[in-house]
Amino acid sequence: MNAASDKPAQDAGMPTVVLVHGAFADSSSWNGVIANLKRRGYPVIAVANPLRGVQKDAAYARAVVDSVSGPVVMAAHSYGGCVMTEAADGAPNVKALVYVASVSPDVGESVADLITKFPGSALLTSVKMVPTPLDDGGTTMAQYIHQNQFPAVFAADVDPDAAELMAVTQRPPTEAAQTESVTKAAWKTIPSWTLITTQDKGIPPDLQRFLAKRAGSTTVEIDASHAVAVSQPGPVADLIDTAARATAQ
């Protein structure tokens, strides 16, 4: 990551777009969005979200944001919305937040709290737990979506071969990523946009609508699965571009 490489685009008035992936995915899930944004001239950084817990993950994402000289637009998918909500608070260079098939918790809320507020999440019955060691010598549970259920739950509108690869290469969150609450809520002070996915089996559309309304977020709805950044990167990039233009100085 070289801040100097971003300078020409920033001098031209283009903010850096910082992307935060969610659980059961990695930074490559943004590849189509990244290519689209770069064609428009945006410098882009896709954070390698550790998926170890809200506070650890947010600290990592905030370090990336703090390394950028110039304005930033952050976009997050799924659990990444928790991380962004915590990490962006108080960051003077973050001008806009874009929630993509995501959650935008309030202080004291976690993914586990929110996912049961509305019916419709197949994640509740499709995840298996695998014991995994912690750095302190303890043990936690890593969470995986059963591979044979992954396409229907996570990526129903993704090419079947690609969805199968996503199932095999998924990155598991720990329990802490799902149960830790946010302690800050950046959407209270930073303008936000939300892409609501109406065929989402991960985060129910009604939950997305509830959270977007509570945050005063500008919303766009799209007929897509939870993996919208993979299946329909164009509309995702469009909304990020809209947020960037609306908050340009």
Side-chain angles (χ1 to χ4, degrees), residues 144-229:
Y144 293 84
I145 299 174
H146 290 282
Q147 288 188 22
N148 64 342
Q149 297 181 52
F150 188 99
V153 171
F154 201 92
D157 59 349
V158 173
D159 174 81
D161 290 339
E164 184 176 354
L165 290 175
M166 290 170 66
V168 172
T169 61
Q170 64 180 289
R171 288 191 57 226
T174 64
E175 285 181 290
Q178 306 299 303
T179 60
E180 279 187 6
S181 302
V182 301
T183 63
K184 305 169 185 175
W187 50 261
K188 292 184 177 181
T189 56
I190 301 173
S192 66
W193 282 255
T194 297
L195 186 70
I196 295 169
T197 39
T198 61
Q199 300 303 314
D200 203 314
K201 302 300 183 185
I203 299 177
D206 284 342
L207 174 59
Q208 295 180 48
R209 295 184 184 105
F210 165 78
L211 296 173
K213 182 178 180 180
R214 183 177 69 178
S217 190
T218 300
T219 62
V220 172
E221 297 204 4
I222 184 170
D223 185 20
S225 75
H226 192 57
V228 62

